[in-house]
């Protein structure tokens, strides 16, 4: 077989019978980066994402205004939220977004710091690559340095003593994570709410907190005392055949019979509920006007269209059972609460149902109100961070007072020294965001670390006159700091081990816009 001149080498090959076949499809239309060029592309993308978050780090960090394609506005300095709202195309930039999500899912706090640290590690790796150090050696050095740093953190960590009666240590820790949020003027109030919510559902024997029992919400007769609640997942409507059917109504008598049948079925359902002693019905589905009229006539208040998660939380809180059919409802399956009342608020007179004095308090709802939806959404994110920090302390009560500087002793290798310099980027960012001279602040801290041997020294962002984080009550959980180091190093290792990129040229995957 003759191959024309348009055939490209390495694009066409022949088997043992002389038959041609394509090795790489559309190779002439693909763009390829290999070796140091691929590493440079990855590092540039990661640095661009990290630089976007750098100014949001710390208590004096700035907020970002994100505008969605639909025109919705989001004002936040939460790292995960910023990255989720960013429109990134580069694969490595998407990995940075996943890094922030992993930190938020695992710990709940430190989503900005972990991205800034990863960007600094990759920036230092860029310098080492220019010196001719292999990417694999850099990744191994980072892993060794991270192991030393984590051992150092564990050696300086303090044990945090707290209990249900002694909540102040937990409140102080929650206040630290709320200090950089938009709600920092009321950060003690929000910290107390978060601590009370976690302690209500915490299992100290297992050292665990079930977040499914905590609901953060952003927005009949008005009052029922000594409520006995029937929790139903079956609708108030007449039964329907499960197979296809047709109903022919030809006369007025037929219509009357049908209406009477439905009315009797509605009365039967209401009587079955009343017979159990229930004085309140919470139903997952709806009911029509006739059912609503009968419920009011029988003095049986009801709430309809309650979502599945809310139904489960109500059942847990009141000690009731979720009933799928009216025939299965009994007095033993009723939930109980001391008071159920309806609240209305705001200029739009929005309404919500409050269930209080429950038999089982291991289900909590945090209700947040604000002047606009942006404030409410940011407050919900802030409360979530505080809840995660308190949960982490319940699981592991060790803390570190320093939030900015992690010393790594024994820096013999280039990569380990680069790791230490990358950790200093957190100090530089905090000082810069606070309006201080970054180099001057870093030099002063390093000098004091060397002379005072005090691992609790950090940046005095709030200008309180002391750099001792213990005196300022700036507290961070050991699990959060450890997760930041481990996740950032693992991401850097994964990125540094990629040395070949293939992409279609028309997609332009590897031109990353700066800023």
């Amino acid at each position: 077989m003759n191959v024309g001149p348009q055939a490209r080498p390495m694009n066409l090959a022949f088997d043992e019978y002389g038959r041609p076949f394509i090795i790489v499809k559309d190779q002439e239309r693909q763009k390829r980066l290999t070796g140091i060029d691929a590493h440079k592309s990855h590092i540039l993308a990661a640095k661009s994402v990290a630089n976007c978050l750098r100014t949001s780090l710390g208590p004096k960090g700035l907020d970002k205004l994100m505008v969605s394609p639909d025109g919705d506005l989001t004002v936040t300095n939460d790292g995960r939220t910023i990255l989720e709202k960013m429109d990134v195309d580069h694969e490595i930039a998407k990995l940075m977004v996943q890094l922030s999500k992993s930190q938020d899912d695992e710990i709940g706090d430190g989503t900005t710091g972990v991205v800034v640290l990863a960007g600094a590690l990759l920036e230092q790796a860029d310098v080492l690559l220019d010196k001719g150090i292999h990417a694999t050696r850099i990744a191994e050095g980072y892993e060794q340095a991270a192991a030393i740093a984590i051992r150092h953190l564990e050696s300086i960590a303090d044990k945090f003593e707290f209990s249900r009666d002694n909540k102040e240590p937990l409140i102080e820790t929650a206040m630290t994570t709320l200090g950089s949020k938009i709600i920092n003027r009321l950060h003690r109030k929000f910290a107390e709410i978060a601590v009370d919510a976690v302690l209500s559902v915490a299992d100290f024997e297992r050292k665990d907190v079930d977040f499914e029992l905590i609901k953060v919400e952003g927005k009949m007769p008005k009052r029922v005392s000594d409520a006995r609640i029937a929790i139903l997942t079956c609708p108030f409507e007449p039964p329907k055949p499960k197979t296809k059917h047709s109903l022919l109504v030809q006369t007025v008598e037929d219509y009357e019979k049908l209406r009477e049948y439905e009315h009797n079925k509605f009365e039967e359902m209401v009587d079955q509920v009343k017979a159990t002693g229930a004085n309140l019905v919470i139903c997952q589905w709806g009911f029509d006007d006739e059912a609503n009229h009968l419920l009011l006539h029988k003095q049986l208040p009801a709430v309809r269209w309650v979502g599945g998660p809310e139904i489960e939380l109500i059942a847990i809180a009141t000690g009731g059972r979720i009933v799928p059919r009216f025939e299965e409802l009994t007095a033993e399956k009723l939930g109980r609460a001391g008071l159920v009342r309806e609240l209305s608020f705001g200029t739009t007179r929005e309404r919500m149902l409050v269930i209080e004095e429950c038999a089982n308090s291991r289900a909590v709802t945090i209700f947040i109100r604000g002047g606009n939806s942006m404030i409410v959404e940011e407050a919900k994110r802030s409360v979530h961070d505080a809840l995660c920090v308190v949960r982490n302390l319940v699981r592991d009560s060790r803390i570190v007072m320093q939030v900015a500087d992690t010393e790594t002793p024994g820096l013999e290798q280039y990569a380990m020294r680069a790791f230490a310099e990358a950790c200093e980027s957190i100090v530089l960012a905090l000082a810069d965001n606070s309006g201080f001279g970054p180099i001057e602040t870093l030099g002063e801290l390093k000098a004091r670390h060397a002379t005072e041997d005090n691992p609790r020294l950090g940046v005095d962002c709030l200008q309180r006159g002391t750099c001792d984080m213990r005196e300022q009550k700036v507290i961070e959980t050991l699990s959060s700091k450890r997760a930041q180091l481990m996740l950032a190093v693992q991401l850097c290792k994964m990125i540094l081990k990629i040395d070949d990129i293939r992409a279609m040229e028309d997609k332009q995957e590897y031109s990353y816009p700066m800023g």
Side-chain angles (χ1 to χ4, degrees), residues 53 77 336:
L53 293 188
N77 67 350
R336 285 171 171 75

Side-chain angles (χ1 to χ4, degrees), residues 191-479:
E192 291 174 351
I193 292 173
V195 170
D196 290 339
V198 171
L199 291 181
S200 298
V201 302
D203 187 342
F204 285 98
E205 293 182 0
R206 295 172 50 234
K207 290 188 176 182
D208 193 20
V209 178
D210 186 0
F211 266 15
E212 296 295 329
L213 300 177
I214 301 177
K215 182 178 177 61
V216 181
E217 190 60 61
K219 56 178 185 170
M220 61 185 221
K222 304 299 182 182
R223 187 183 186 96
V224 177
S225 300
D226 190 21
R228 298 178 297 279
I229 307 171
I231 306 171
L232 305 175
T233 57
C234 47
F236 274 91
E237 60 182 25
K240 297 178 181 178
K242 296 183 179 180
T243 58
K244 292 184 179 181
H245 66 284
S246 60
L247 181 64
L248 182 61
V249 179
Q250 294 180 324
T251 63
V252 175
E253 290 76 12
D254 292 341
Y255 175 78
E256 290 293 338
K257 289 180 181 179
L258 177 61
R259 183 176 176 278
E260 183 180 358
Y261 169 77
E262 291 184 350
H263 181 80
N264 293 336
K265 281 296 180 181
F266 281 135
E267 282 200 339
E268 181 182 342
M269 295 174 187
V270 175
D271 291 339
Q272 285 176 335
V273 176
K274 290 284 289 185
T276 63
N279 56 4
L280 177 64
V281 176
I282 293 181
C283 186
Q284 186 177 7
W285 304 102
F287 34 84
D288 60 14
D289 293 338
E290 185 172 358
N292 193 30
H293 168 74
L294 281 174
L295 289 168
L296 291 175
H297 180 70
K298 299 281 188 177
Q299 296 182 352
L300 183 61
V303 182
R304 59 182 172 179
W305 299 120
V306 181
E310 288 79 8
I311 281 278
E312 294 178 2
L313 287 176
I314 291 172
I316 294 172
T318 61
R321 296 282 299 277
I322 299 176
V323 179
R325 288 186 291 271
F326 288 96
E327 295 79 6
E328 299 179 7
L329 184 63
T330 61
E332 292 76 17
K333 295 181 180 180
L334 299 179
R336 285 171 171 75
L339 179 64
V340 178
R341 57 195 177 102
E342 184 183 81
L343 297 180
S344 60
F345 49 86
T347 56
T348 58
R349 310 304 297 171
E350 295 185 28
R351 297 181 297 173
M352 69 174 297
L353 197 69
V354 180
I355 302 176
E356 299 175 338
E357 302 174 19
C358 299
N360 180 12
S361 62
R362 287 177 56 83
V364 180
T365 299
I366 301 174
F367 181 56
I368 300 173
R369 295 175 58 189
N372 55 57
S373 59
M374 288 188 296
I375 296 294
V376 171
E377 291 301 317
E378 181 66 7
K380 288 169 65 174
R381 288 189 286 267
S382 302
V383 170
H384 173 265
D385 290 350
L387 291 171
C388 291
V389 168
V390 179
R391 176 201 61 187
N392 296 338
L393 277 177
V394 173
R395 291 177 173 177
D396 185 353
S397 61
R398 290 177 293 176
I399 60 160
V400 288
M401 294 295 177
Q402 59 181 30
V403 297
D405 187 21
T406 303
E407 289 195 42
T408 309
L411 302 177
E412 291 90 10
Q413 301 179 17
Y414 285 107
M416 299 179 72
R417 189 177 295 113
F419 179 89
E421 293 178 1
C423 290
E424 292 173 356
S425 66
I426 303 294
V427 184
L428 296 173
L430 287 173
D432 191 18
N433 293 343
S434 302
F436 305 147
I439 304 300
E440 179 184 353
T441 303
L442 177 61
E444 180 184 347
L445 276 178
K446 293 178 73 172
R448 292 188 62 181
H449 269 292
T451 57
E452 300 179 20
D453 192 24
N454 182 3
R456 296 184 298 275
L457 295 177
V459 181
D460 183 17
C461 298
L462 301 177
Q463 298 181 340
R464 293 178 177 174
T466 177
C467 291
D468 193 319
M469 297 296 104
R470 173 173 287 176
E471 295 181 11
Q472 290 204 24
K473 300 187 184 303
V474 178
I475 304 166
E476 186 169 9
T477 60
L478 175 62
S479 57

